Amino acid sequence: MTDDALERLERRAQRERLARKRAEAMLEARSRELFVANETLMRLTASLEQQVAARTRELEQALQRAETATQAKTSFLATMSHELRTPMNGVLGMAQLLQDEPLSDLQRHCVGTIVSSGELLLSLIDDVLDFSKVEAGRMQLEALPYSPRACIAAVSELVRPLADEKGLIYRVQIAPEVPDRLIGDDMRLRQILLNLLSNAVKFTTAGHVEISLSVQDEPASGYIGLRLCVSDSGIGIAEERQRAIFEPFEQAYVSTTRSFGGSGLGLAIVRRIAVLMDGQIGLQSTLGQGSEFCLTWRSRLALPGNDARQEATAVRSTLPLAPARLGVTSGSDHPVKLRVLVAEDNAVNSTLIRLVLEREGIEPVMVVDGAQVLEQIQRQTFDLVFMDIQMPVMDGLTATRRLRALALDQQPKVVAITANIFHEDRAACLAAGMDDFLAKPFRLEDVRRVLADLRREPDADQVA
C-alpha cells in the first residue's frame, strides 16, 4: 500500500473518530437533557398530583358544604311549612266554624273576609314553599291513576263561581278521545290548571275563560300526548314581557302586584312542574285581546280493568285510594256513632277539631301525644284516629307503627292531620301504616269527607 493510500485511510479514520466523539458528545448532551427533562417532569407530575389532590379536596369540601346548605335549606323549609300552616289551621278553621253560626250581615261579611284573606295568604305561602322545593330539587311527582275529566271538574268547581261573579262565560271542552284514566300526579296537574284559570279570571273583566283538553299524539307504547289549554279574552300580555312572566318574581307589569295581587311565583312554578312532567308550557297573547296558555306533555295510560289501588302500588307506593273496611255501619240505613280518638298537642287546633267533630255528633277522646294514643287504644275500641305527626313524648309516626303492631280485635283507621305536607311526609305516613292524609290547614269538608267515607264502609262486622 502506498503512502498516499495510508494517508487517506488515516484521515478517514480520524474523521470517523471525530464524528464518533461528536456523536457521543451529542448523545451525552441529549441524555443529560432527557435526564433533566425527566426529573422536571417527575417534579411537575408530583406537583400536579398534589394540585389535583388539593383541588379534589376543595371540590369535596365545596360539595359537602353545598349538601349541608341544601339539607339546612330543606330543614328550614320543612320547619317554616309546619310553623306557618299550624296557626293558619286555627285561623281558617275557626273562621269556617263561625260561618256556620247565625250571624248578622256585617258579621258574616267580616268572617267571609277573614276566610278569603286567610286562603289568599295560604296560597302565597304555598307559592313560596313550592318554589323553594323546586329550587332545592325536593319536588317530586306522583305516578298514580287519575281521571283528567275529574281533575278539570274539581278545579272548575273552585273557579267557575269567581267567573260567574264577574259575568264571564266559562267553557270547558274535552275531546272525546281523551282517555278516562291516566297515570300521573293529579295534585300537580290541578295546581297548574288552578293557577292558569285563576290568572285568566283575575285578568279578564269581560268575555270568556275557556279550558280545552285534547289529544296531541295518538297512543303509542302505553303513552299518549296531551294538550291542555286555558284561554281568555282578558288584558293580554305585551310581547316583550311574555318570556319574563315565567321567571320567578316577575309579572306582566310593575303595577300588577298592586292591582291584582299575587307572589309572582305562580307561572314560574307552573313551568317547573311542566318540566318535571317532561312537558312544556307555552303562551300566545295579544295585548288588549287575551291570552292562551297551553301545557303539552306525554302521559302514561292507565291499564284497563285494574283496581286503582293495585295499579297505584305497581307504579309507586303511596297512600291508599280507599280506606280499609272497619265495620262501623249498622244493619239499618243509619250509621252507628263513630268512636274517634284525636291526638293533637296544639291547644287551638285541638279545640278546632273537637268542635268540628262535636258538630258531627261525635264526642272525641282527646290526647296530646302518641304515648297517650297507645294507652287509649288498649282501653277501648276506636273506629278512627286523627293523628298529628309532630307531638311531644312520642310522635305520630312512631305511635302508628306501634299501634299497627298491636293484636287488636279491630284496627282503627288512622288519618294524619299534619302541617308536614311534603311528598316524603306522605310516604312516611304510608310506611308507618296510616290510611289517609289531611294537610293543615284542613277544611271542614275534609274532615266530613273522612267521616262520610268511614260511615259508608261496606259489609264488615256489625257494631252493636
Side-chain angles (χ1 to χ4, degrees), residues 26-245:
M26 185 181 296
L27 180 60
E28 184 177 355
R30 293 293 178 86
S31 296
R32 284 196 299 270
E33 291 175 2
L34 182 60
F35 176 78
V36 171
N38 284 336
E39 288 290 317
T40 302
L41 181 60
M42 290 175 65
R43 287 195 298 271
L44 289 174
T45 300
S47 175
L48 181 59
E49 288 176 350
Q50 292 175 357
Q51 293 178 40
V52 170
R55 184 58 176 162
T56 301
R57 286 193 298 271
E58 290 175 3
L59 292 175
E60 289 174 347
Q61 292 169 359
L63 179 60
Q64 186 175 6
R65 287 193 298 269
E67 290 175 347
T68 300
T70 298
Q71 291 172 359
K73 182 176 181 179
T74 300
S75 177
F76 173 78
L77 187 63
T79 300
M80 286 302 299
S81 175
H82 184 274
E83 295 304 312
L84 289 169
R85 285 178 168 274
T86 296
M88 285 301 298
N89 189 60
V91 172
L92 287 175
M94 290 298 186
Q96 289 177 78
L97 282 177
L98 274 179
Q99 284 183 314
D100 290 340
E101 296 292 329
L103 303 172
S104 68
D105 290 343
L106 176 59
Q107 290 170 333
R108 189 164 300 281
H109 173 73
C110 291
V111 173
T113 301
I114 292 173
V115 172
S116 60
S117 298
E119 290 185 343
L120 175 59
L121 176 59
L122 181 63
S123 70
L124 296 177
I125 291 170
D126 286 341
D127 279 351
V128 173
L129 293 175
D130 274 344
F131 184 75
S132 298
K133 279 193 292 184
V134 172
E135 291 296 285
R138 301 280 294 180
M139 181 176 284
Q140 298 179 359
L141 299 188
E142 297 279 6
L144 303 173
Y146 74 96
S147 165
R149 289 177 172 82
C151 176
I152 291 175
V155 177
S156 293
E157 187 176 350
L158 297 174
V159 178
R160 190 188 296 270
L162 303 177
D164 292 342
E165 286 180 7
K166 300 181 72 172
L168 304 178
I169 299 172
Y170 188 92
R171 293 192 294 259
V172 177
Q173 296 185 356
I174 302 177
E177 60 268 22
V178 172
D180 290 328
R181 294 174 73 230
L182 300 170
I183 298 293
D185 193 322
D186 182 28
M187 183 183 73
R188 293 303 178 188
L189 185 60
R190 292 187 190 202
Q191 184 176 359
I192 289 176
L193 186 55
L194 181 59
N195 187 287
L196 297 180
L197 281 172
S198 297
N199 282 346
V201 173
K202 182 190 300 183
F203 297 113
T204 303
T205 56
H208 73 274
V209 170
E210 181 175 307
I211 313 167
S212 65
L213 179 61
S214 59
V215 172
Q216 187 176 37
D217 298 318
E218 292 300 319
S221 303
Y223 286 82
I224 188 171
L226 297 166
R227 182 180 180 86
L228 176 67
C229 294
V230 173
S231 61
D232 63 67
S233 56
I235 62 176
I237 303 167
E239 184 176 358
E240 64 270 16
R241 296 294 301 163
Q242 291 180 15
R243 183 179 297 273
I245 63 171

Side-chain angles (χ1 to χ4, degrees), residues 235-312:
I235 62 176
I237 303 167
E239 184 176 358
E240 64 270 16
R241 296 294 301 163
Q242 291 180 15
R243 183 179 297 273
I245 63 171
F246 289 102
E247 296 300 323
F249 308 108
E250 290 284 347
Q251 295 182 323
Y253 306 100
V254 176
S255 62
T256 296
T257 301
R258 292 195 300 272
S259 301
F260 298 99
S263 64
L265 290 173
L267 290 176
I269 295 170
V270 163
R271 185 179 68 173
R272 283 158 172 77
I273 295 175
V275 171
L276 290 175
M277 295 170 64
D278 291 327
Q280 58 184 359
I281 187 80
L283 165 64
Q284 290 185 337
S285 184
T286 301
L287 190 61
Q289 298 183 24
S291 304
E292 182 180 58
F293 290 84
C294 288
L295 168 70
T296 56
W297 82 106
R298 289 185 61 77
S299 176
R300 281 188 57 188
L301 295 167
L303 300 176
N306 281 14
D307 177 78
R309 275 181 292 176
Q310 293 175 345
E311 191 166 331

Side-chain angles (χ1 to χ4, degrees), residues 7 14 119 123 144 150 163 238 246 283 302 342 355 378 398 433 439 452 457:
E7 187 175 350
Q14 188 174 2
E119 290 185 343
S123 70
L144 303 173
F246 289 102
L283 165 64
V342 177
L355 292 173
Q378 296 181 80
T398 301
E457 295 298 334

